Amino acid sequence: MKIVTARRICQILFFALFLWLCIVSTVGRQLWQIGDYPVNFFFYLDPLVALGTMLAAHALYGLLVLSLITVILTIIFGRFFCSWVCPFGSVHHFFGFLAKRRKKVAERIKLNQYHKAQRIKYYILVVFLVMAAFPSLAATLQIGLLDPISFVTRSFNIMLLPIFDRITNIASSEPRFYQGAWLILAAFAAAVLLNFIIPRFYCRFICPLGAFFGLIDRFAIWRIGKKNAECLECRLCEENCEGACQPTHDFRISECVLCFNCLNDCRHHVMTYQTAKSASGEITDPDISRRGFILSLAGGALALPAVRLANQLGSNYNPGIIRPPGALSEEEFLKRCIKCGQCMRVCPTNVIQPASTRGGLENLWTPTLNNRIGSSGCQYNCVACGQVCPTAAIRPISLDEKHGSGDFADAGPVKIGTAFVDRSRCLPWVFGRPCIVCQENCPVSPKAIYTKLSYDTVRNGEQATVKIVGNTVEIPVIMKPAQYSTGDYYCTVGPARFEITDNSENTLTIKTTENAEQLLPPDGKIKIEVRLQRPYVDPQKCIGCGVCEHECPVSGKRAIRVSAEGETRSANRKLLLD
């Protein structure tokens, strides 16, 4: 079997595995749902995620240590990950092939020439690592914006698979929605379509993980090169070179993605895979200028203070940014979140959404709760998001911890925010309409939402009676039939209040066993009142789950809304004094 054939089989298998792990990242008991599948397999092999997390959070979470395997294998065999394992690399490889398959040999060779701009990816890597290693508490982990594993996982989880789900309903029983998915689609489409300009454009010019592999590839024991200097320089080895590493002349080790196309295309068997240096010469160091390196250092050092000038991690924080239960404090959260979308994919109610820049540039594509979308708020008995987070930005918690029961009884439940009633939009408060939806759907026990009973006279509800006969009250006003027959309306006759069971255009039927006519005051007037149960929130019991906000019948801006105030993860966001 040719080495190129083996590489293609390997690409197909790893890409199929990637797709499968994306599909099974949904809660359920079916074969295609999460179970015990290692859904973070590719993140554990990504050394850039491990390095960035270690620099920013000064910790290496769980199985991220497995990325050392990738580093060791790269030092032994070369930059194999990009062309053999990486699912995003396989996407670019495929579309690059489509873009050039009908071009002439000379055109292909021209497209695969090395460009000075390929150094840009090294500067991007430096900027991200400087931001992650920024001194004091200001560090932030932003590699997830361009890290290929985070990029492709986010694109499939939040954009491609939801589109597929709407057609098949295999992984999700209901359509899934994601706010701002158009921006993720635009980024993914741009990365893919650039392959029609230059093959593997993203890998050559942008990919920070590729830059990291390029830095350590100089130490590779095995490498591609010429076994002797006798070469006709037909340049066929450059026809399908995926890394633009110019194998004809001085071989650029840092750019070689180990696709082995040059070995396959060389008709004179000059190209080989060996431990010796290439006979035509090698360039081992990445093409980085001193000026560019210094500027990227300065850019990384200035970028973070610049985006935090608004003090959005301090007193000017955005209370609309509500993190999932188990999320670390905002400073620590931003040191670990890689914006991969795993928590959004696994959320059974679709309430976890990719954030916009509303909370600052750092907030882009991080998980936040939008209680108006999906099938409900954050479910009371669900902790799935913390179980799939590859970097523990959302730490895995148990149901006992979330509920504040068992060993966690003293600490109390995990609060992700607090619900507030907007009395200017609430049906019982401002419109005089009966509604207790929020109180009925509050999942905690005892309920965090309680009501206070009041009886309000309806508009034009004070009327002089014509007569009262038995349980029928006749009044001189035209009413809509059955208008007051819901059980929430009452007729007050003197000191007594009777439930209205039905009404016609000018009569009320009341529930009574006594002679109501004897209770009439001298002026003969009665009142039609509505029984209202006005909601209040107990901030000590509210956990901010957002179920009440989701179920509120007021469309658009809900009459009860959850804010991040009172969340337990941040001491400076307390709502009540201890």
Side-chain angles (χ1 to χ4, degrees), residues 427-434 452-462 484 488-492 497 500 527-534:
L427 296 179
W429 277 105
V430 71
F431 296 113
R433 298 296 180 87
K452 291 184 179 179
L453 188 64
S454 67
Y455 291 86
D456 290 6
T457 303
V458 302
R459 186 177 184 182
N460 299 322
E462 188 170 349
Y484 301 122
D488 296 299
Y489 294 90
Y490 289 77
C491 178
T492 299
R497 182 179 288 125
I500 299 174
K527 291 181 181 179
I528 302 175
E529 297 178 321
V530 57
R531 182 186 62 180
L532 299 174
Q533 299 177 71
R534 293 192 169 110

Side-chain angles (χ1 to χ4, degrees), residues 43 77 88 102 110 136 153 168 171-172 181 184 191 220 274 312 316 318 329 340 361 399 403 405 413 428 500 553 556:
F43 291 104
F77 299 109
F88 207 24
R102 293 187 177 180
K110 186 177 180 180
S136 76
T153 304
T168 63
S172 301
I184 296 172
Q274 59 190 6
Q312 290 179 319
N316 192 37
N318 190 324
S329 65
C340 61
L361 287 174
L399 284 176
H403 297 162
S405 59
I500 299 174

Side-chain angles (χ1 to χ4, degrees), residues 144-465:
L145 290 171
L146 295 176
D147 173 76
I149 304 301
S150 300
F151 196 133
V152 72
T153 304
R154 176 173 63 244
S155 300
F156 274 77
N157 280 344
I158 300 174
M159 187 262 299
L160 295 178
L161 283 181
I163 294 174
F164 181 75
D165 280 345
R166 292 175 70 88
I167 301 172
T168 63
N169 287 334
I170 289 179
S172 301
S173 58
E174 297 181 358
R176 296 179 74 87
F177 302 94
Y178 292 99
Q179 60 188 21
W182 67 268
L183 183 58
I184 296 172
L185 171 62
F188 181 79
V192 169
L193 293 178
L194 283 171
N195 289 293
F196 289 87
I197 299 176
I198 296 178
R200 288 192 85 142
F201 185 98
Y202 185 89
C203 305
R204 296 181 188 181
F205 298 94
I206 300 174
C207 182
L209 179 58
F212 178 81
F213 284 131
L215 292 175
I216 63 176
D217 198 29
R218 58 175 299 185
F219 304 108
I221 298 173
W222 284 84
R223 56 189 66 192
I224 293 176
K226 292 182 179 179
K227 58 185 175 183
N228 56 65
E230 296 177 2
C231 177
L232 298 178
E233 295 194 10
C234 63
R235 301 183 68 184
L236 289 179
C237 56
E238 297 182 11
E239 179 184 356
N240 296 300
C241 178
E242 291 294 318
C245 52
Q246 58 185 39
T248 301
H249 303 292
D250 291 337
F251 193 82
R252 292 185 176 273
I253 295 296
S254 60
E255 301 300 324
C256 178
V257 295
L258 221 62
C259 65
F260 290 105
N261 285 339
C262 56
L263 272 70
N264 189 63
D265 294 338
C266 182
R267 298 176 182 177
H268 307 288
H269 306 292
V270 176
M271 301 301 300
T272 187
Y273 184 52
Q274 59 190 6
T275 56
K277 292 184 178 181
S278 177
S280 62
E282 289 183 349
I283 299 175
T284 56
D285 294 331
D287 186 14
I288 307 175
S289 68
R290 181 180 298 178
R291 179 182 300 175
F293 180 71
I294 293 174
L295 287 176
S296 59
L297 281 176
L302 292 174
L304 185 58
V307 299
R308 289 191 176 175
L309 285 176
N311 192 30
Q312 290 179 319
L313 294 183
S315 58
N316 192 37
Y317 77 93
N318 190 324
I321 304 300
I322 305 167
R323 301 298 186 193
L328 303 179
S329 65
E330 192 66 9
E331 294 85 352
E332 293 301 317
F333 178 85
L334 293 174
K335 292 178 182 179
R336 286 179 177 258
C337 180
I338 56 174
K339 314 170 193 292
C340 61
Q342 290 285 75
C343 55
M344 305 172 203
R345 179 70 188 172
V346 79
C347 179
T349 62
N350 195 198
V351 69
I352 304 180
Q353 296 287 310
S356 64
T357 58
R358 186 175 55 164
L361 287 174
E362 295 175 272
N363 195 51
L364 180 64
W365 296 330
T366 58
T368 183
L369 270 63
N370 181 343
N371 295 307
R372 289 179 53 193
I373 208 167
S375 60
S376 183
C378 180
Q379 286 297 292
Y380 190 60
N381 291 319
C382 177
V383 290
C385 53
Q387 310 302 318
V388 299
C389 181
T391 60
I394 307 172
R395 61 185 180 85
I397 60 175
S398 64
L399 284 176
D400 277 348
E401 182 176 0
K402 184 177 182 180
H403 297 162
S405 59
D407 295 337
F408 301 92
D410 292 338
V414 173
K415 293 168 59 72
I416 58 176
T418 307
F420 292 84
V421 177
D422 185 347
R423 296 186 181 182
S424 67
R425 297 181 65 82
C426 181
L427 296 179
W429 277 105
V430 71
F431 296 113
R433 298 296 180 87
C435 178
I436 55 171
V437 170
C438 57
Q439 191 266 349
E440 287 179 326
N441 285 278
C442 180
V444 300
S445 181
K447 290 182 179 291
I449 301 175
Y450 62 98
T451 60
K452 291 184 179 179
L453 188 64
S454 67
Y455 291 86
D456 290 6
T457 303
V458 302
R459 186 177 184 182
N460 299 322
E462 188 170 349
Q463 295 288 336
T465 61

Side-chain angles (χ1 to χ4, degrees), residues 493-532:
V493 183
R497 182 179 288 125
F498 306 98
E499 180 184 340
I500 299 174
T501 58
D502 197 5
N503 71 275
S504 64
E505 289 187 348
N506 56 7
T507 63
L508 302 172
T509 303
I510 61 176
K511 183 186 291 185
T512 178
T513 57
E514 55 185 303
N515 188 357
E517 185 176 10
Q518 296 179 356
L519 302 174
L520 272 174
D523 58 6
K525 288 186 176 181
I526 58 98
K527 291 181 181 179
I528 302 175
E529 297 178 321
V530 57
R531 182 186 62 180
L532 299 174

